[in-house]
């Protein structure tokens, strides 16, 4: 195939316009082209408001070598397909189905690919299916009634289900897992443009349907999915996994297991404690905490594009980083164009926030987390779970500050409180876009003083990059404490813990940071299990009783 890079097109162009330009650049006619495919699209706004899309495309023509010989444009090259390959089955025999604990992106992709290749996995999710979970979350935002196992953090799809649905990652993709995961998303209902957009996203609305389709296929291929099944203990013998204790609506049951994937997510604090008590090796790791910031989307559009109205362009985004005098990193995280700040709490007496947007990103405000790096030195202890305790303390302060609601404050008032200055008079011009009740109060009492000062320092630097970012009526909401897992569950080259058969996986285990990296790690663990074990046959499959089978959900 022929590949052409750096094809620049103005906003509003058609697919046919792009094909004609590609043909002209390659030196062939439009009619000679076949199998035309967009492989990358990015937005170039460096010379705003003169903005264009930059494409890479591929297509076939007859006598490609002759065409290339005539064409001296370095953007025109030959491209050869290197397809992703799932490994051939190993030689060891499984006596029970592999079990996957958690149905976030890591668990879903691990289960999807094991099911697809004949391993008939059992997926256990402590929360509810995505439809019921969505109702539970909406009810929480309206009434404040929290279900600790069905919320923004727990349930089918994981925490990313109530987010912007970003599908980009900085992980190098030498094994093709990124592209393979994106293809799976598209095959399960996501729009095709995520295969080539430089910053792909699908929004919470589309992601929920994709998750349901993935689950349905897992069941179709012989897997089993159990909701409201919470693992309460890991059973081991001679440092080998032998089974799991599971709390279900019908009571506690034991499930024999010699292979289990720990894809529990970054908020499974009770599971971290279970693993620690079992002496599963783990360590505290660095993460970041801060507040959600809200600005008018039109302001961000003007800063990034030189235009407030962007009918032919996507809602503008940003990515900001700063280094403070104290050598802490301050940066934007999980930016949601046209999105909403959401109450993402999962424990009584504690408040945490996140950002969410729908596929159209049509909300009035842009929001992102502005977060400050913290390390085990900030936790006051070298204990592996010290970061969990640190998070909980911040969330408890947020709960008290907001009187159980999301505590919020204008940046001008927060800055004055942090720096010990008199408040300045300003007229608020930003309307909060928040899912869940909010309470305006002094949020400088939530973070430690050193982090508050670093936050202000970062905001002031960002205001020099994006005019208005540090405007006094910027709305801050807190606390953003679940940016990544506070622990890393150690694993070796075989991707197992020191307990044979136990595979730490995804963001909760400390090996991912977002939907795509978690999905890719789930795929990697599935590959590892498949490369070791034979495909199951009916005689080797552990079967639930008929009563237990009633918990299986299939659309």
């Amino acid at each position: 195939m022929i590949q052409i890079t750096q094809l620049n097109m103005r906003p509003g162009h058609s697919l046919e316009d792009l094909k004609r330009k590609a043909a002209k650049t390659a030196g062939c006619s439009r009619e000679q082209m076949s199998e035309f495919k967009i492989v990358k699209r990015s937005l170039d706004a460096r010379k705003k408001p003169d903005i264009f899309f930059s494409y890479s495309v591929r297509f076939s023509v007859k006598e490609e070598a002759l065409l290339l010989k005539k064409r001296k444009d370095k953007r025109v090259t030959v491209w050869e397909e290197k397809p992703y390959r799932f490994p051939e089955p190993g030689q060891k025999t499984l006596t029970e189905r592999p079990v996957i604990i958690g149905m976030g992106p890591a668990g879903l992709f691990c289960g999807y690919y094991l099911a697809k290749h004949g391993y008939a996995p059992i997926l256990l999710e402590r929360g509810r299916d995505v439809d019921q979970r969505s109702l539970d979350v909406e009810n929480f935002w309206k009434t404040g009634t929290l279900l600790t196992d069905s919320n923004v953090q727990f349930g089918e799809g994981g925490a990313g289900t109530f987010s912007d649905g970003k599908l980009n990652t900085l992980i190098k993709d030498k094994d093709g897992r990124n592209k393979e995961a994106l293809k799976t998303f598209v095959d399960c209902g996501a729009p095709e443009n995520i295969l080539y957009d430089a910053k792909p996203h699908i929004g919470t609305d589309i992601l929920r349907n994709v998750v349901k389709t993935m689950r349905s296929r897992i069941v179709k291929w012989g897997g089993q999915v159990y909701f409201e099944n919470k693992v309460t203990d890991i059973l081991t013998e001679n440092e080998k996994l032998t089974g799991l204790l599971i709390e279900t609506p019908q009571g506690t049951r034991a499930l024999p297991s010699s292979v289990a994937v720990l894809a529990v997510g970054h908020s499974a604090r009770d599971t971290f404690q279970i693993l620690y008590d079992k002496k599963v090796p783990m360590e505290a790791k660095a993460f970041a905490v801060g507040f959600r910031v809200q600005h008018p989307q039109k302001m961000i559009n003007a800063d990034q594009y030189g235009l407030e109205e962007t009918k032919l362009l996507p809602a503008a985004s940003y990515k900001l980083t700063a280094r403070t005098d104290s050598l802490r990193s301050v940066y934007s995280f999980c930016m949601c164009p046209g999105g909403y700040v959401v109450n993402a709490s999962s424990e009584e007496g504690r408040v945490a926030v996140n950002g969410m947007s729908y596929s159209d990103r049509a909300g009035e405000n842009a929001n992102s987390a502005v977060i400050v790096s913290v390390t085990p030195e900030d936790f006051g202890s070298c204990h592996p779970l010290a970061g969990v305790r640190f998070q909980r303390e911040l969330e408890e302060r947020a709960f008290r500050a907001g009187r159980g609601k999301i505590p919020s404050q204008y940046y001008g008032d927060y800055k004055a409180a942090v720096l010990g200055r008199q408040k300045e008079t300003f007229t608020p011009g930003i309307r909060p876009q928040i899912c869940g009740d909010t309470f305006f109060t002094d949020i400088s009492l939530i973070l430690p003083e050193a982090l508050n000062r670093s936050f202000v320092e970062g905001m002031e630097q960002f205001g020099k990059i994006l005019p208005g970012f540090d405007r006094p009526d910027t709305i801050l909401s807190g606390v953003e404490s679940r940016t990544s897992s506070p622990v890393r569950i150690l694993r070796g080259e075989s991707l197992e813990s020191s307990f044979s058969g136990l595979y730490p996986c995804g963001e909760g285990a400390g090996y991912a940071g977002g939907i795509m990296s978690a999905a890719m790690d789930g795929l990697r663990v599935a590959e590892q299990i498949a490369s070791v074990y034979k495909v199951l046959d009916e005689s080797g499959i552990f079967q639930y009783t008929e009563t237990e089978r009633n918990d299986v959900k299939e659309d």
Side-chain angles (χ1 to χ4, degrees), residues 216-326:
S216 181
R217 291 186 180 181
I218 288 169
V219 175
K220 178 182 177 181
W221 292 331
Q224 291 181 315
V225 176
Y226 292 83
F227 296 109
E228 298 181 73
N229 273 235
K230 179 178 177 181
V231 173
T232 57
D233 203 1
I234 308 289
L235 307 178
T236 62
E237 186 175 321
N238 298 324
E239 294 198 339
K240 292 184 178 180
L241 179 70
T242 60
L244 307 167
L245 281 185
I246 307 166
E247 182 183 292
T248 79
Q250 292 78 31
T252 300
R253 65 186 176 202
L255 174 63
S257 177
S258 58
V259 171
V261 178
L262 279 170
V264 295
H266 59 40
S267 294
R269 295 164 172 173
D270 49 359
T271 306
F272 297 155
Q273 184 66 54
I274 291 168
L275 297 171
Y276 175 78
D277 293 341
K278 284 288 183 179
K279 296 183 170 48
V280 174
M282 63 177 66
E283 62 187 14
K285 62 178 279 290
F287 55 102
V289 297
F291 301 110
R292 277 276 150 183
V293 302
Q294 292 186 72
H295 300 96
Q297 183 62 51
K298 287 184 177 181
M299 186 195 90
I300 302 301
N301 293 343
D303 284 344
Q304 298 292 68
Y305 296 153
L307 303 164
E308 283 192 0
E309 298 297 337
T310 58
K311 292 182 180 179
L312 298 177
L313 296 169
S317 63
Y318 57 78
K319 185 176 182 180
L320 300 167
T321 61
R323 192 77 165 169
T324 69
D325 290 341
S326 62

Side-chain angles (χ1 to χ4, degrees), residues 130-131 161 188-189 204-214:
V130 72
D131 288 332
T161 306
C188 292
T204 183
D205 45 341
I206 293 177
L207 188 55
R208 297 178 200 183
N209 290 325
V210 169
V211 163
K212 288 165 60 177
T213 301
M214 290 185 71

Side-chain angles (χ1 to χ4, degrees), residues 135-147 343-345 436:
L135 295 175
D136 294 338
V137 169
E138 292 287 346
N139 185 61
F140 170 54
W141 289 339
K142 290 177 182 177
T143 68
T145 302
L146 175 68
L147 299 181
N343 191 331
S345 305

Side-chain angles (χ1 to χ4, degrees), residues 185-205:
F185 275 119
V186 171
D187 195 39
C188 292
E192 194 168 341
N193 65 283
I194 68 170
L195 295 174
Y196 54 78
D197 274 339
K199 296 180 180 180
H201 89 104
I202 54 178
T204 183
D205 45 341

Side-chain angles (χ1 to χ4, degrees), residues 3 21 32 107 140 172 372:
Q3 176 170 283
K21 185 163 187 176
Q32 289 177 288
F140 170 54
K172 293 182 179 179
V372 184

Side-chain angles (χ1 to χ4, degrees), residues 255-444:
L255 174 63
S257 177
S258 58
V259 171
V261 178
L262 279 170
V264 295
H266 59 40
S267 294
R269 295 164 172 173
D270 49 359
T271 306
F272 297 155
Q273 184 66 54
I274 291 168
L275 297 171
Y276 175 78
D277 293 341
K278 284 288 183 179
K279 296 183 170 48
V280 174
M282 63 177 66
E283 62 187 14
K285 62 178 279 290
F287 55 102
V289 297
F291 301 110
R292 277 276 150 183
V293 302
Q294 292 186 72
H295 300 96
Q297 183 62 51
K298 287 184 177 181
M299 186 195 90
I300 302 301
N301 293 343
D303 284 344
Q304 298 292 68
Y305 296 153
L307 303 164
E308 283 192 0
E309 298 297 337
T310 58
K311 292 182 180 179
L312 298 177
L313 296 169
S317 63
Y318 57 78
K319 185 176 182 180
L320 300 167
T321 61
R323 192 77 165 169
T324 69
D325 290 341
S326 62
L327 302 182
R328 290 187 188 271
S329 295
V330 182
Y331 53 98
S332 62
F333 172 79
C334 187
M335 194 268 156
C336 298
Y340 302 83
V341 174
V342 304
N343 191 331
S345 305
S346 62
E347 295 180 332
E348 294 286 358
R350 300 184 177 105
V351 168
V353 297
N354 195 12
M356 181 186 81
S357 57
Y358 296 95
S359 56
D360 60 8
R361 288 178 164 175
E364 184 177 327
N365 288 353
N367 77 73
S368 74
V370 172
I371 49 179
V372 184
S373 61
V374 293
T375 68
E377 292 180 359
D378 295 299
F379 306 156
S381 167
C382 60
H383 192 284
L385 300 182
V388 173
R389 184 168 62 248
F390 181 78
Q391 286 178 326
R392 281 175 161 162
E393 288 175 356
L394 299 186
E395 292 170 16
E396 287 165 9
R397 293 179 193 175
F399 185 88
R400 291 194 297 269
R403 300 180 185 177
K405 302 175 182 179
I406 296 174
S408 299
Q409 188 173 26
Y410 292 112
Y411 175 64
D413 293 338
Y414 168 80
K415 177 182 173 182
V418 170
L419 301 182
R421 298 176 182 173
Q422 186 174 354
K423 289 184 180 180
E424 299 179 6
T425 301
F426 60 87
T427 302
I430 304 174
R431 295 186 298 179
Q433 302 289 292
I434 297 178
C435 296
D437 287 338
T438 189
F439 179 76
F440 274 75
T441 185
D442 182 4
I443 64 171
S444 69

